[in-house]
């Protein structure tokens, strides 16, 4: 076979492969040439805005771009409130959502999750309070806050029931906040004694505000973050396409590179799962 014939054959094979990958998506998305993703850029380093340019960035953004590239389409980001993400899927405004959303059984009535990241709820406090609060049980009887849009308030209450009440200590007073940023604000004003965030986020804030936050113990839960897709015939097609793209990114090493670039290797999964959260 002539070299030119080999080049043509190689190009044809590459085009066929790209076409095959793209055909995993619904025709509507292929015709538009883009997949629409909801995001909420207030969860660094997973998704946030560059302070200098105001552009959205983060692990989810890089991973979403890689998924879209693998599927042969563009990705269009739509900023929305976290609480509006699942309704946006139900109304067809978006095809997927990427904002570090926890895969919880309570959320699976209307959506499936393509799980892509490991997370854990982590207690933390201020360095100025660290001497009095050095172990998780020091939080018994104290005010601990976390975003009410997450499952963390329930996680704190469950931990308190087992480790405080179960040991004859006063229960933690759980405070639901408007978000993790609000929890940090209340902590710095000492309206809270401690707070909870995902372990994937706290190193970022420790770097951003040196000598401000101290971790208390190890993460006390394990959850999976996932990409939700609607429970429908089309939604399942999108789910499987996204899962397939992530598996290929994991196989070729790009998935691991994206996590490593943000020092989040501990949060990377060994295998992509569907509805694996508990």
């Amino acid at each position: 076979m002539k070299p030119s014939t080999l080049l043509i054959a190689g190009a044809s094979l590459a085009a066929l492969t790209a076409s095959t990958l793209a055909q995993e998506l619904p025709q509507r998305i292929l015709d538009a040439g883009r997949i629409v993703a909801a995001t909420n850029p207030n969860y660094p380093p997973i998704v946030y805005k560059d302070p200098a340019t105001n552009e959205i960035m983060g692990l989810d953004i890089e991973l979403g771009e890689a998924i879209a590239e693998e599927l042969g389409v563009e990705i269009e980001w739509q900023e929305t409130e976290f609480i509006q993400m699942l309704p946006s899927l139900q109304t067809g405004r978006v095809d997927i959502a990427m904002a570090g959303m926890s895969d919880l059984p309570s959320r699976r009535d209307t959506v499936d999750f393509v799980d892509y990241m490991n997370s854990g709820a982590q207690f933390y406090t201020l360095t100025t309070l660290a001497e009095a609060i050095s172990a998780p049980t020091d939080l018994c009887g104290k005010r601990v806050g976390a975003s009410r849009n997450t499952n963390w308030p329930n996680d704190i209450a469950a931990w308190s029931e087992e480790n405080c009440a179960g040991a004859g200590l006063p229960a933690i007073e759980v405070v639901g906040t408007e978000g993790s940023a609000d929890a940090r604000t209340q902590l710095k004003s000492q309206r809270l004694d401690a707070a909870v965030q995902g372990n994937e986020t706290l190193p970022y804030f420790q770097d951003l505000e040196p000598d401000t936050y101290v971790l208390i113990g190890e993460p006390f839960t394990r959850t999976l973050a996932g990409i939700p897709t609607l429970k429908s015939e089309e939604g399942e097609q999108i789910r499987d396409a996204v899962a397939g793209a992530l598996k290929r990114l994991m196989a070729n090493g790009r998935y691991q590179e994206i996590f490593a670039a943000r020092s989040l290797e501990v949060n990377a999964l060994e295998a992509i799962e569907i509805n694996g959260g508990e």
Side-chain angles (χ1 to χ4, degrees):
M1 187 178 288
K2 295 180 181 179
S4 60
T5 306
L6 285 170
L7 289 172
I8 292 170
S12 299
L13 179 59
L16 179 60
T17 301
S19 175
T20 301
L21 296 180
Q23 285 174 356
E24 295 178 352
L25 288 167
Q27 192 62 44
R28 170 184 64 79
I29 295 177
L30 293 178
D31 290 343
R34 68 180 185 277
I35 187 168
V36 182
T39 193
N40 183 233
N42 69 350
Y43 198 55
I46 307 306
V47 56
Y48 61 110
K49 288 192 174 182
D50 185 328
T53 65
N54 208 39
E55 292 183 3
I56 56 173
M57 60 188 299
L59 181 135
D60 272 10
I61 303 303
E62 294 168 18
L63 199 58
E65 298 284 351
I67 290 169
E69 182 180 332
E70 187 71 27
L71 293 172
V73 294
E74 300 293 325
I75 188 165
E76 177 185 313
W77 298 101
Q78 284 195 9
E79 295 181 32
T80 185
E81 293 297 322
F82 189 89
I83 199 170
Q84 290 300 320
M85 286 188 177
L86 298 187
S88 292
L89 280 169
Q90 291 175 285
T91 58
R93 288 182 55 199
V94 301
D95 305 307
I96 59 175
M98 294 190 70
M101 183 179 292
S102 296
D103 171 8
L104 302 175
S106 60
R107 288 175 171 159
R108 292 193 212 126
D109 290 339
T110 56
V111 299
D112 289 320
F113 283 91
V114 181
D115 300 321
Y116 67 95
M117 183 174 69
N118 176 50
S119 177
Q122 175 70 60
F123 290 120
Y124 69 100
T125 190
L126 299 176
T127 55
T128 54
L129 300 176
E131 187 174 344
I133 306 174
S134 59
T137 50
D138 292 333
L139 296 170
C140 298
K142 302 278 197 304
R143 288 171 57 84
V144 180
S147 171
R148 63 169 59 96
N149 293 325
T150 70
N151 202 50
W152 293 328
N154 292 333
D155 292 335
I156 297 168
W159 187 92
S160 174
E161 179 67 23
E162 179 178 352
N163 296 278
C164 296
L169 299 171
I172 290 174
E173 183 180 345
V174 182
V175 180
T177 67
E178 292 304 316
S180 293
D182 180 39
R184 291 191 300 275
T185 298
Q186 292 197 45
L187 178 59
K188 284 188 280 191
S189 66
Q190 297 195 19
R191 285 178 285 169
L192 296 175
D193 300 297
V196 165
Q197 279 186 217
N199 71 324
E200 70 276 13
T201 66
L202 283 164
Y204 172 88
F205 289 101
Q206 287 179 305
D207 289 341
L208 189 67
E209 301 180 75
D211 303 318
T212 302
Y213 305 113
V214 176
L215 306 187
I216 307 170
E218 299 294 326
F220 61 95
T221 67
R222 180 184 182 272
T223 58
L224 294 177
I227 301 170
T229 61
L230 196 63
K231 278 187 184 292
S232 66
E233 184 176 351
E234 183 182 84
E236 290 173 4
Q237 192 175 356
I238 296 169
R239 177 199 66 195
D240 294 342
V242 169
L246 279 167
K247 289 175 183 177
R248 293 189 292 274
L249 290 169
M250 187 174 281
N252 65 31
R254 191 172 177 188
Y255 168 91
Q256 293 85 346
E257 290 172 1
I258 290 171
F259 277 79
R262 295 189 174 274
S263 301
L264 293 173
E265 294 93 334
V266 69
N267 298 105
L269 298 181
E270 293 185 2
I272 301 302
E273 301 181 45
I274 303 292
N275 296 333
E278 298 178 357

